[in-house]
Amino acid sequence: MIQLENVCRRYAGADTEVLRNLDLQVGRREFVSIVGRSGSGKTTLLNLIGGLDRAYEGLVQVEGRRLDELDDSELSAYRNLRVGQVFQAYHLLDHLTCRENVALAALFARGRERRDAAWARRRADEVLAGVGLPDAGGRAPSTLSGGERQRVAIARALFHRPAILLCDEPTGNLDTETGREVVELLLDLHLEEEVTIVAVTHDTAISAAGGRVLHLVDGRLEERGGAAG
Amino acid sequence: MIGRGFARTVAGDLLRHWKHFAAASVGIILGVAALIFFLGLGLRVRDLLLVQVFPSEYLEVAPRSVDLDIFALRVDLGRDTLDSAALEELSAIPGVDAVYPKMRLIVPALASGGTSLFGAGMQTEIVADGIDPRLVTEDVGEAFHEVGGDPESPARPCRRDGDCSEGSYCDRPAGVCKPYIPVLVSPYVVELYNGAFRRAYGLPKINPDALRGLSFEMAFGASTFRPSESTVIRERMRLVGVSDKAIPLGVTLPLGHVRSLNAALGSPEAGERYHSAVLGVGAKEMLPAVVEAVEAAGLEVRDRGARRAALVTAVMMAVLGLVGVALITVAAAHIMHVFFLVVMVRRREIGLLRAVGARRGDIRNLLLAEAAVVGLVSGLVGSLAALTAAVVADGFAASRVPDFPFKPESFFAFPPWLFLSVIALAVGAAVVGALPSALRAAAGDPSDALAGR
């Protein structure tokens, strides 16, 4: 489902490549955890898979399509419909309600039905209920706890029922108990919604939950085994 | 991104960043207000000058004078009349809709009468010319017309005016009814009378409308300066209106009548020689080309005031318009600065929108739409400010500025196209100002924006 071959990524002004001839294969409905120290390129890797970063060399192919061959419109549609992204810093817009944050992708959807405001509202409430926040739709993100905000961010990523969920340190800003709840939520989604999940983390709870654990070392991935998902 | 979601997003962003946008709009508001105010003023002044003071849709042309001054005398070496061939040449000039020949009365004339108006009879030397009645149909209707007797019908005998029908008087020496000759006077005559003449002679101020119907006698061929050498033709005139196409000082008669008088009292050829012609130029923008063609034909434009007025108002409007455009341009630069700031502040937000599916065009359009709304609102507020300033200026002019000829009720003309075009300019300036920031915001990868790079 996700295939990276010989991928290199160097940031402007950096001496070394953050990703060096990296290879990765992720199958459908797989849960892959990627661990590595800070600055090892975990977020960069997710950005490449999520179509947020195109300044790379090598092959990044998702669902049989090379991302570097997609034009802006196709890549935007990919980000809108096929992949959901959960960011470590949540990136919720405080001037919108939680419902509006979750339904943000509907603004850029291509189908007539998906642009329908009533449909978007129903779907946002449905997804919020799915992450355990059935009453948060009308609330501002700033009134929520860290764990709740991360759940809203996950709900936003799930809005268009993506095939792939990319999570960047989803428990990084949370306490242990709240982090555990978020990990359980991701596992439930993986099992119930059959979503392919790629999570980068420091959190051993996530890496322990993931079916496969990959270590990002010196710009390359090394597989060292992990608990079954 | 289209539809209500887009509109709501734009509105929400504008409300969120209203302080930035308000600061950005100040320059545009000032520019729009200045542009509309000054162009409105210029348009009205131009209308006043070209339509009322120098009616430029009509251009009077005459043979170019070539004069030689010998001591106290000025000798005219050029031709001073137009024949029918010259008139045909004028009518062939592109932009000329009609040619109306004018003929001066070439014999002296005395006017007497005015008892009903001034309380006592007056007699004065008077000059006259003749114009084609079609030239003044818009001003005075059919009241000014050629007078021609039907040769087959015998003149009605009479002993006093009451014996004749409306529009005729009794020519007592001949004992027959004759039609009044309709005449026009210029508004300058009325202005001159009301402004200076009446004060000098202690006469009442007159209402131009009350002049209509005033009758007086004219003796063609008679003069107080020298005894008459030929026949004197006495006729009664009736003033039928005031027109700026009438001779500035004197009276204007129907062209055919002046032609007959010149032929009868001068020579048969004098009845075929015109002294000038009025060209009807419907499209004002053709005026310069027509003037050029006229001068190329060896003629000169007589009402140079109109040309100067047109030039002065055009230059004035251009200068004032440039001031407004300069203000709007500066405002666009300010908008550019503000949008650069706004995009910086919203960098992560824009990255997030890209991450959830916004295309580059969506981001660009979102920012440009916000700029367009800023421009539109600024344009509307600026228009309102201009209107308010115009009302204040008109109020000041009405109460503080002394009356003068052609003083208008309002010094401003605000045609709808002025607002539409200036507001469109404001929207365009705001959009152009925001364009670099919008393109920049749309260009980068979402990962850079999310990372704040």
Side-chain angles (χ1 to χ4, degrees):
Chain A
M1 182 163 205
I2 300 171
Q3 184 182 2
L4 279 73
E5 283 180 13
N6 219 20
V7 170
C8 298
R9 174 69 165 98
R10 182 201 296 266
Y11 285 105
D15 293 335
T16 56
E17 291 172 323
V18 64
L19 302 179
R20 245 187 308 162
N21 302 320
L22 181 142
D23 295 324
L24 171 66
Q25 298 261 357
V26 179
R28 192 173 297 279
R29 293 191 291 279
E30 205 178 348
F31 191 134
V32 174
S33 301
I34 296 172
V35 296
R37 59 178 174 76
S38 289
S40 60
K42 302 187 297 293
T43 300
T44 301
L45 177 58
L46 282 195
N47 286 342
L48 297 186
I49 300 170
L52 301 181
D53 186 351
R54 304 183 81 175
Y56 61 88
E57 293 171 16
L59 172 78
V60 178
Q61 188 166 287
V62 180
E63 295 180 312
R65 291 194 301 173
R66 287 179 62 135
L67 297 190
D68 60 348
E69 290 180 348
L70 301 182
D71 63 22
D72 179 57
S73 184
E74 292 168 328
L75 193 62
S76 299
Y78 164 72
R79 290 194 293 253
N80 186 247
L81 298 171
R82 302 306 300 160
V83 64
Q85 320 228 18
V86 180
F87 304 101
Q88 181 179 4
Y90 320 135
H91 287 317
L92 297 176
L93 301 179
D94 285 335
H95 62 280
L96 302 180
T97 63
C98 291
R99 183 182 295 112
E100 288 167 336
N101 267 285
V102 170
L104 204 56
L107 284 175
F108 308 103
R110 273 45 164 186
R112 182 184 291 268
E113 182 198 329
R114 291 177 189 276
R115 283 201 304 267
D116 180 70
W119 176 87
R121 186 185 172 88
R122 278 197 309 275
R123 174 65 185 152
D125 286 342
E126 183 185 310
V127 187
L128 279 170
V131 298
L133 296 171
D135 303 320
R139 293 174 64 183
S142 57
T143 65
L144 303 179
S145 68
E148 289 171 324
R149 295 175 81 177
Q150 191 58 295
R151 284 167 185 268
V152 173
I154 292 170
R156 181 181 61 199
L158 295 172
F159 181 78
H160 274 154
R161 293 191 177 87
I164 302 162
L165 188 62
L166 304 174
C167 304
D168 187 0
E169 302 278 12
T171 59
N173 288 335
L174 305 176
D175 60 58
T176 309
E177 178 58 24
T178 311
R180 190 183 56 76
E181 289 173 10
V182 168
V183 170
E184 284 174 6
L185 173 63
L186 290 175
L187 279 173
D188 287 347
L189 287 169
H190 172 57
L191 296 173
E192 291 169 15
E193 305 276 337
E194 298 187 333
V195 180
T196 302
I197 296 179
V198 177
V200 301
T201 183
H202 280 110
D203 191 339
T204 51
I206 294 181
S207 55
R212 198 150 56 107
V213 180
L214 300 171
H215 291 258
L216 188 54
V217 180
D218 295 334
R220 290 195 184 90
L221 286 169
E222 296 173 4
E223 193 159 355
R224 296 177 187 174
Chain B
M1 184 166 59
I2 56 169
R4 269 193 298 181
F6 182 77
R8 282 185 56 213
T9 306
V10 169
D13 291 343
L14 288 169
L15 289 174
R16 234 166 359 111
H17 300 282
W18 72 269
K19 284 182 181 168
H20 285 128
F21 293 126
S25 65
V26 170
I28 292 196
I29 290 172
L30 285 175
V32 165
L35 197 54
I36 289 182
F37 182 87
F38 289 127
L39 289 182
L41 177 65
L43 286 172
R44 183 72 181 118
V45 170
R46 190 194 68 172
D47 286 350
L48 277 174
L49 288 173
L50 296 186
V51 177
Q52 292 190 28
V53 182
F54 306 105
S56 70
E57 67 268 36
Y58 296 105
L59 203 64
E60 186 168 358
V61 299
R64 186 177 293 152
S65 60
V66 181
D67 298 330
L68 178 65
D69 290 342
I70 303 174
F71 300 110
L73 295 177
R74 171 165 290 182
V75 180
D76 188 357
L77 301 178
R79 60 173 177 156
D80 67 348
T81 55
L82 300 168
D83 54 20
S84 54
L87 295 180
E88 277 180 30
E89 197 178 333
L90 287 171
S91 66
I93 293 174
V96 172
D97 298 335
V99 177
Y100 305 100
K102 292 177 81 170
M103 184 179 284
R104 280 188 221 127
L105 183 69
I106 60 164
V107 292
L110 283 173
S112 55
T115 308
S116 62
L117 195 63
F118 308 120
M122 299 173 73
Q123 187 179 53
T124 180
E125 294 277 342
I126 197 161
V127 294
D129 72 352
I131 61 171
D132 189 330
R134 290 175 302 159
L135 184 59
V136 290
T137 305
E138 276 182 25
D139 300 343
V140 297
E142 301 296 329
F144 186 74
H145 53 81
E146 294 290 355
V147 177
D150 182 352
E152 297 299 318
S153 63
R156 182 191 291 185
C158 64
R159 299 181 66 183
R160 59 184 183 276
D161 289 350
D163 295 335
C164 302
S165 60
E166 170 60 26
S168 301
Y169 66 96
C170 187
D171 181 7
R172 285 181 194 152
V176 292
C177 293
K178 283 176 128 179
Y180 282 106
I181 308 300
V183 297
L184 299 172
V185 292
S186 161
Y188 291 103
V189 173
V190 182
E191 290 287 338
L192 187 68
Y193 172 86
N194 280 337
F197 191 80
R198 69 169 183 92
R199 293 179 208 274
Y201 292 89
L203 296 169
K205 201 171 183 177
I206 55 172
N207 172 3
D209 292 334
L211 287 175
R212 285 197 191 89
L214 177 73
S215 64
F216 55 94
E217 188 177 280
M218 282 187 74
F220 298 102
S223 170
T224 55
F225 294 135
R226 59 180 181 180
S228 173
E229 296 171 355
S230 62
T231 314
V232 172
I233 298 175
R234 295 181 189 280
E235 289 182 306
R236 295 255 286 266
M237 312 285 128
R238 176 172 276 175
L239 191 59
V240 295
V242 176
S243 170
D244 51 24
K245 297 172 193 82
I247 191 169
L249 278 174
V251 290
T252 292
L253 282 61
L255 178 67
H257 201 69
V258 174
R259 196 186 284 144
S260 304
L261 289 169
N262 283 347
L265 301 175
S267 65
E269 297 77 32
E272 300 299 326
R273 289 198 294 256
Y274 303 97
H275 296 90
S276 64
V278 174
L279 308 184
V281 184
K284 285 184 180 176
E285 64 273 13
M286 292 296 292
L287 206 59
V290 171
V291 169
E292 197 175 324
V294 164
E295 290 177 344
L299 305 173
E300 65 180 7
V301 176
R302 185 162 282 180
D303 43 1
R304 291 198 177 275
R307 293 177 63 195
R308 283 200 204 101
L311 185 65
V312 167
T313 52
V315 170
M316 184 181 76
M317 284 176 69
V319 170
L320 297 178
L322 277 176
V323 171
V325 170
L327 282 173
I328 290 179
T329 306
V330 172
H334 187 49
I335 289 256
M336 192 183 295
H337 202 71
V338 169
F339 266 82
F340 184 75
L341 189 69
V342 165
V343 166
M344 288 293 287
V345 169
R346 292 165 64 183
R347 197 158 170 72
R348 281 193 172 83
E349 176 190 333
I350 289 167
L352 178 69
L353 297 181
R354 295 290 313 277
V356 299
R359 287 169 290 195
R360 289 196 170 107
D362 292 329
I363 300 299
R364 184 196 62 220
N365 293 346
L366 186 70
L367 290 166
L368 293 184
E370 290 170 12
V373 172
V374 170
L376 179 66
V377 172
S378 304
L380 291 171
V381 173
S383 302
L384 206 60
L387 283 174
T388 307
V391 168
V392 171
D394 277 340
F396 179 81
S399 60
R400 301 289 173 87
V401 177
D403 282 350
F404 56 84
F406 304 109
K407 182 182 175 186
E409 282 184 16
S410 172
F411 283 86
F412 300 89
F414 293 122
W417 64 260
L418 178 62
F419 292 105
L420 292 176
S421 49
V422 174
I423 289 173
L425 179 65
V427 171
V431 168
V432 168
L435 191 60
S437 299
L439 292 176
R440 190 182 155 129
D445 272 334
S447 58
D448 288 336
L450 284 167
R453 286 193 290 268

